[in-house]
Amino acid sequence: EVRLVESGGGSVQAGGNLRLSCTIFGDTFDDSDVGWYRRGPSNACELVAYVGSDDRPHYGDSVKGRFTISHAKNTVYLQMNNLKPEDTAMYYCAVDLDADWDCEADYWGQGTQVTVSS
């Protein structure tokens, strides 16, 4: 059974930092893309970042230059710096076997809440 377990969410003030972690159980997904989505107050799904099977990072436009995705063994990290109130959302770790990152991932974590106050 594949499970994705996130941790590291919380509440911070604008300008603060957080690091999210996602540990993958049941598979290594060495040849698949792994990354993060988020859903804010509008519940719209937004791509945050992912690491391709070639280990190249990709970022959504709204987080470029502030967020960094990395991975080690079976854990994916999302370092979030200079957080803004508009980053407030539930963050989900995901595995996308098709590598198209269209918010229809094959595996999802349970989500971790990030709240940024002004």
Side-chain angles (χ1 to χ4, degrees), residues 28-107:
T28 58
F29 293 112
D30 287 340
D31 297 324
S32 300
D33 293 2
V34 183
W36 297 86
Y37 286 108
R38 68 186 182 187
R39 289 185 182 273
S42 70
N43 205 39
C45 179
E46 180 184 5
L47 173 65
V48 178
Y50 68 93
V51 177
S53 56
D54 58 0
D55 282 345
R56 290 180 59 193
H58 303 265
Y59 298 96
D61 288 340
S62 63
V63 306
K64 284 179 181 177
R66 299 187 298 120
F67 291 12
T68 303
I69 189 169
S70 61
H71 68 97
K73 294 184 179 179
N74 64 330
T75 300
V76 180
Y77 303 97
L78 185 68
Q79 178 66 42
M80 306 186 294
N81 295 336
N82 189 24
L83 282 159
K84 303 176 181 181
E86 51 264 42
D87 294 318
T88 295
M90 185 73 81
Y91 284 71
Y92 297 90
C93 182
V95 174
D96 191 322
L97 300 178
D98 295 332
D100 53 10
W101 292 95
D102 58 355
C103 287
E104 295 184 358
D106 297 274
Y107 299 98

Side-chain angles (χ1 to χ4, degrees), residues 12-17 82-85 115-118:
V12 296
Q13 290 189 328
N17 307 325
N82 189 24
L83 282 159
K84 303 176 181 181
T115 302
V116 185
S117 59
S118 58

